């Protein structure tokens, strides 16, 4: 979703996410690139600049992901109640 407004640099993405390790972000972006959802462009500057951008396929995934996020937000109270019930029952085992 962070790439929905256009290309972003690696460190910009890392700052926006917060709390993610460099390795985890690298592996995630590499997987998205492998799946054809993101392109990676290296600019021959010093230091090298690397931009990530959604492909057409990646852009087509924005709406379903937004819908999923909205569903999760709408159903959060029910999800929390289910978790609490599960945890209470698990303690009794």
């Amino acid at each position: 979703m962070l790439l929905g407004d256009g290309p972003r640099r690696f460190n910009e993405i890392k700052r926006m996410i917060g709390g993610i390790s460099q390795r985890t972000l690298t592996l995630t972006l590499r997987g998205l690139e492998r799946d054809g959802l993101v392109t990676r462009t290296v600019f021959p500057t010093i230091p090298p600049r690397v931009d990530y951008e959604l492909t057409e396929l990646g852009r087509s995934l924005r709406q379903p992901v937004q819908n999923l996020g909205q569903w999760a937000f709408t159903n959060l109270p029910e999800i929390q109640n289910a978790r609490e019930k599960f945890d209470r029952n698990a303690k009794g085992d």
Side-chain angles (χ1 to χ4, degrees):
M1 293 308 296
L2 294 177
L3 297 175
D5 295 328
R8 297 200 187 272
R9 296 171 81 165
F10 181 89
N11 284 328
E12 182 181 7
I13 298 168
K14 189 172 185 296
R15 278 192 304 276
M16 291 174 80
I17 293 174
I20 190 169
S21 72
Q22 183 162 334
R23 175 169 168 68
T24 299
L25 180 56
T26 298
L27 292 174
T28 300
L29 289 169
R30 188 174 296 155
L32 292 170
E33 183 181 9
R34 182 174 183 252
D35 291 340
L37 301 172
V38 169
T39 58
R40 178 179 183 268
T41 305
V42 179
F43 296 92
T45 59
I46 299 177
R49 181 177 135 201
V50 179
D51 282 358
Y52 293 88
E53 184 173 12
L54 290 177
T55 62
E56 190 62 39
L57 182 62
R59 283 189 290 279
S60 75
L61 189 58
R62 283 186 74 195
Q63 191 61 51
V65 169
Q66 285 176 335
N67 292 342
L68 178 61
Q70 183 58 51
W71 178 91
F73 184 75
T74 299
N75 291 285
L76 189 56
E78 191 172 342
I79 293 167
Q80 285 291 80
N81 289 337
R83 287 177 178 174
E84 290 168 7
K85 181 179 176 184
F86 179 89
D87 292 346
R88 281 193 305 273
N89 291 338
K91 287 180 184 177
D93 288 343

